[in-house]
């Protein structure tokens, strides 16, 4: 069920990318090899590998007893708390599939994910448990914290029977796509491909038993989850330190007291850290930055100001990861977004007709490889355009390649706004805005911004009295949408510029897409 044609699957196995192990095996190995070592630190709670393993196993038995099993989807909506990990491993153990909602998601996104994935359970924090009212079709609601009318997640765990584990080619996790056209899609990552991702990433980043990784970004993102992130750290026998905010006031003291050695940020947060640091962060060896383009000037300040190495990461939840390597010359690290992780990542750069561009020219990146999906989940129609006939994923990113193999991200050819790493699916926001009575038509575009890279601007053609930003934000908030999708600006216009094909000319409106 992995989606790769047999000949590719055979090659990826033969070359050692796929080892036919499930993600639970990495925790089981850790618990056997170093049971007393610290696996997770979450505030005052410290779980050893044995404890994390035992908690995940008991939770797996409890979920199994409730009839949740292989292939069932479970909507996981948690910030960086230790239960995120015990639950994920429990689901990996029984072959149920976590669908990873992001902490800022609200009613609209939760309803969309529920209709797309038809989950059997929703796991949410106490603060957000009211969101369960919007998805009454989900059979089980488990709450982390005080449960109210629902079941506490802790109460689910039992000592009991366990089913056989899943097939390593089964889907292990469903990640949310940054969105190409239309509504966000789900990305099916298999045990085999995700295991390769986190293992190879941990090797590239030099992670080992002494690594102490700070999860500052929400772990529901692929980057802090598996690039190498928390899962790569646990594979390497290191310690994961959890943080629910990446603000310098929260993160800096934690880095010092927990002697954190590595972490990952999006560029706007890296800028905040650069401004806040009065001296280097002593224990920190590595800062990874990715999710949107880091400016070279900011990249050059990381070493001198924070006293650690920088690694640029250009990745996508669909798979492909590019890293600058630890020993790379300085200008490679500051001026490029790195090179592909795997030798078998087939990256081609093409023009609008799909013809490869000249070496060094800019074009759209297309990719296939041992950890890049061949199709979104339950999206047959969209897959016909999102992938080429020969199985390459059309990233929608405009890149160029240096003779040395590194990629530089130059722009984008897709309708997504990248607001400092948070991806805004333009069509989703436009559809919600169109339901406002004073909105006749709307185009949401990205406008350049020094800190965020881009911010969002809603250009509105009014029906009757012109709506203000306040009106539109109130309208969107009434639906319940993630705060990062609220337009930063609203401009009322008479008409939209059009391209020769009659489409809204987003570039002319000030956007770059
Ligand atoms: C990461 O994943 P997604 O799925 O949220 O977003 C992917 C998109 C890419 O297609 C590209 O448009 C943009 O985000 N992007 C970058 C970038 N890293 C991602 N654009 C410029 N420079 C970079 N360094 O964002 C993601 C997944 C894994 C690791 C890191 C980031």
């Amino acid at each position: 069920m992995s989606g790769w044609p047999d000949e590719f699957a055979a090659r990826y196995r033969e070359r050692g990318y796929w080892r036919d192990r499930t993600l639970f095996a990495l925790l089981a190995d850790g618990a056997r090899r170093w049971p007393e070592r610290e696996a997770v630190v979450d505030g005052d709670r410290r779980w050893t590998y044995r404890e994390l393993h035992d908690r995940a196993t008991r939770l797996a038995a409890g979920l199994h007893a409730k009839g949740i099993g292989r292939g069932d989807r479970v909507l996981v909506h948690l910030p960086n708390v230790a239960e995120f990990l015990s639950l994920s491993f429990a689901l990996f153990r029984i072959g149920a599939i976590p669908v990873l909602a992001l902490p800022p998601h609200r009613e609209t996104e939760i309803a969309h994910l529920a209709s797309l994935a038809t989950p059997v359970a929703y796991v949410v924090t106490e603060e957000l448990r009211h969101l369960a009212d919007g998805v009454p079709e989900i059979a089980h609601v488990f709450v982390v914290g005080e449960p109210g009318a629902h079941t506490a997640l802790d109460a689910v765990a039992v000592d009991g029977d366990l089913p056989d584990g899943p097939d390593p080619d089964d889907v292990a996790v469903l990640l949310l796509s940054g969105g190409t056209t239309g509504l966000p899609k789900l990305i099916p990552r298999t045990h085999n491909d995700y295991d390769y991702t986190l293992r190879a990433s941990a090797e590239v980043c030099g992670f080992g038993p002494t690594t102490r990784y700070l999860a500052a970004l929400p772990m529901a993102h692929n980057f802090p989850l598996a690039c190498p992130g928390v899962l790569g750290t646990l594979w390497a026998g290191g310690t994961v330190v959890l943080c629910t905010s990446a603000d310098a006031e929260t993160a800096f003291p934690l880095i010092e007291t927990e002697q954190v050695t590595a972490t990952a940020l999006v560029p706007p947060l890296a800028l905040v850290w650069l401004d806040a640091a009065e001296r280097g962060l002593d224990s920190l060896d590595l800062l990874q930055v990715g999710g949107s383009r880091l400016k070279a000037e900011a990249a050059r300040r990381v070493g001198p100001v924070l006293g650690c190495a920088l690694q640029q990461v250009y990745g996508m939840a669909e798979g492909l990861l590019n890293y600058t390597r630890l020993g790379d010359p300085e200008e490679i690290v500051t001026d490029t977004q790195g090179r592909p992780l795997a030798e078998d990542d087939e990256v081609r750069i093409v023009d609008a007709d799909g013809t490869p561009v000249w070496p060094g020219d800019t074009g759209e990146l297309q990719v296939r490889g041992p950890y890049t999906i061949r199709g979104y989940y339950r999206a047959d129609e969209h897959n016909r355009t999102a992938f080429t006939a020969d199985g390459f994923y059309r990233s929608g990113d405009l890149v160029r390649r240096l003779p040395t193999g590194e990629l530089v991200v130059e722009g984008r050819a897709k309708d997504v706004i990248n607001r400092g790493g948070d991806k805004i699916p333009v069509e989703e926001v436009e559809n919600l805005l169109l339901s406002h009575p004073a909105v006749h038509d709307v185009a949401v575009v990205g406008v350049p911004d020094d800190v965020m890279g881009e911010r969002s601007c809603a250009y509105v053609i009014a029906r009757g009295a012109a709506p203000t930003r306040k009106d539109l934000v109130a309208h969107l908030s009434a639906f319940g949408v993630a705060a990062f999708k609220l337009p930063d600006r609203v401009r009322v216009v008479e008409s939209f510029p059009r391209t020769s094909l009659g489409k809204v000319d987003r570039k002319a409106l000030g956007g770059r897409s």
Side-chain angles (χ1 to χ4, degrees):
M1 112 130 256
S2 74
W4 284 267
D6 290 346
E7 80 228 59
F8 284 87
R11 185 196 306 162
Y12 297 151
R13 269 201 177 80
E14 187 191 312
R15 298 196 178 168
Y17 295 106
W18 297 354
R19 296 190 174 175
D20 287 325
R21 285 159 45 94
T22 68
L23 295 180
F24 187 79
L26 83 88
L27 178 60
D29 278 357
R32 195 170 48 242
R33 293 168 68 189
W34 33 71
E36 302 311 328
R37 209 181 271 173
E38 214 165 68
V40 193
V41 178
D42 173 6
D44 295 338
R45 297 190 292 171
R46 291 173 183 274
W47 293 354
T48 62
Y49 275 81
R50 187 207 307 272
E51 187 165 6
L52 176 58
H53 175 267
D54 290 353
R55 282 176 179 268
T57 305
R58 295 185 73 239
L59 200 46
L63 293 166
H64 174 63
K66 291 199 178 295
I68 298 175
R70 183 171 168 191
D72 287 338
R73 278 81 52 213
V74 171
L75 185 51
V76 177
H77 192 192
L78 297 177
N80 290 351
V81 290
E83 287 82 359
F84 187 112
L85 289 170
S86 51
L87 174 64
S88 298
F89 281 108
L91 297 171
F92 298 151
R93 172 63 187 82
I94 61 176
I97 307 170
V99 181
L100 298 182
L102 304 178
H105 283 166
R106 292 297 178 266
E107 286 86 347
T108 301
E109 290 90 4
I110 295 303
H112 175 59
L113 290 172
S115 76
L116 204 56
T118 56
V120 297
Y122 178 42
V123 186
V124 63
T125 50
E126 185 187 345
E127 293 79 19
L128 294 181
R129 64 164 189 250
H130 61 275
L131 295 178
D133 299 344
V135 282
E137 68 277 19
I138 302 182
H140 302 277
V141 177
F142 303 127
V143 174
V144 173
E146 284 299 311
H150 305 292
T151 312
L153 184 68
D154 276 347
V156 175
V158 297
D159 291 314
D161 289 343
L162 284 165
D164 288 342
D167 186 313
D169 280 333
D170 281 358
V171 175
V173 58
L174 283 163
L175 300 173
L176 194 66
S177 83
T180 45
T181 46
L183 294 176
K185 306 289 184 291
L186 287 173
I187 297 169
R189 303 294 301 264
T190 67
H191 288 268
N192 266 327
D193 95 64
Y194 223 42
D195 177 63
Y196 168 73
T197 296
L198 63 94
R199 180 165 37 89
S201 296
E203 279 166 1
V204 157
C205 295
F207 278 22
T210 56
T211 297
R212 295 179 67 85
Y213 176 85
L214 180 74
L217 298 173
M219 303 188 253
H221 281 284
N222 183 39
F223 184 19
L225 184 61
C227 310
V230 296
L231 295 179
T233 303
L234 294 173
W235 174 79
T239 301
V240 171
V241 179
L242 301 180
C243 188
T244 46
S245 158
D247 292 343
E249 305 87 83
T250 318
F252 285 9
L254 202 54
I255 289 174
E256 191 170 337
T257 52
E258 292 298 335
Q259 291 289 292
V260 166
T261 62
T263 191
L265 293 177
V266 290
L269 284 168
L271 293 178
V272 168
W273 284 28
L274 285 170
D275 287 345
E278 280 157 15
R279 54 193 167 82
L281 301 167
D282 281 342
S283 60
L284 198 67
D285 298 325
L286 180 68
L287 176 65
Q288 303 179 285
V289 181
S292 66
R293 174 83 186 260
L294 177 68
K295 291 212 173 83
E297 307 83 77
R300 281 193 281 273
R301 289 171 59 207
V302 168
V305 175
L306 298 177
C308 63
L310 168 70
Q311 177 185 57
Q312 292 211 42
V313 188
Y314 160 44
M316 49 205 77
E318 286 80 358
L320 178 69
L321 296 172
N322 301 279
Y323 290 101
T324 59
R325 306 303 204 261
L326 301 185
D328 276 351
E330 168 157 4
E331 61 277 13
I332 294 289
V333 176
T334 54
D335 295 13
T336 83
Q337 280 66 59
R339 55 183 187 275
L341 178 61
E343 227 169 274
D344 282 86
D345 283 324
E346 300 173 73
V347 169
R348 65 187 184 200
I349 303 175
V350 302
D351 65 18
D353 301 327
T355 312
V357 299
W358 287 103
D361 282 359
T362 298
E364 186 193 12
L365 179 148
Q366 299 186 343
V367 58
R368 69 182 183 191
Y371 59 99
T372 297
I373 57 162
R374 292 296 186 118
Y376 291 102
Y377 183 71
R378 294 182 174 170
D380 288 347
E381 199 184 314
H382 180 68
N383 287 339
R384 281 193 275 278
T385 51
F387 295 82
T388 65
D390 53 353
F392 281 72
Y393 167 59
R394 298 182 211 264
S395 73
D397 293 328
L398 298 177
V399 307
R400 67 186 163 84
R401 185 162 30 202
L402 304 186
T404 41
E406 285 77 21
L407 299 173
V408 177
V409 182
E410 296 287 5
R412 194 179 54 222
K414 58 185 173 189
D415 281 348
V416 177
I417 298 168
N418 190 339
R419 190 179 184 277
D422 283 326
K423 312 303 181 317
I424 304 178
V426 164
E427 197 174 314
E428 179 188 53
V429 181
E430 288 178 350
N431 284 339
L432 293 172
L433 288 172
L434 277 172
S435 67
H436 189 284
V439 174
H440 169 71
D441 203 356
V442 62
V444 176
V445 302
V447 290
D449 181 87
D450 277 349
V451 176
M452 305 301 279
E454 284 182 287
R455 284 183 194 269
S456 67
C457 180
Y459 285 89
V460 173
I461 299 176
R463 177 185 289 130
T468 62
R469 174 171 183 273
K470 213 169 145 209
D471 297 335
L472 296 184
V473 164
H475 183 69
L476 291 175
S477 303
F479 283 111
V481 299
F484 65 79
K485 295 181 185 171
L486 301 174
D488 293 301
R489 279 186 229 157
V490 171
R491 296 273 178 276
V492 177
V493 294
E494 291 293 313
S495 64
F496 297 141
R498 302 266 167 188
T499 65
S500 55
L501 292 172
K503 293 206 317 186
V504 174
D505 187 346
R506 294 173 182 277
K507 220 179 220 151
L509 272 175
R512 287 184 291 179
S513 54

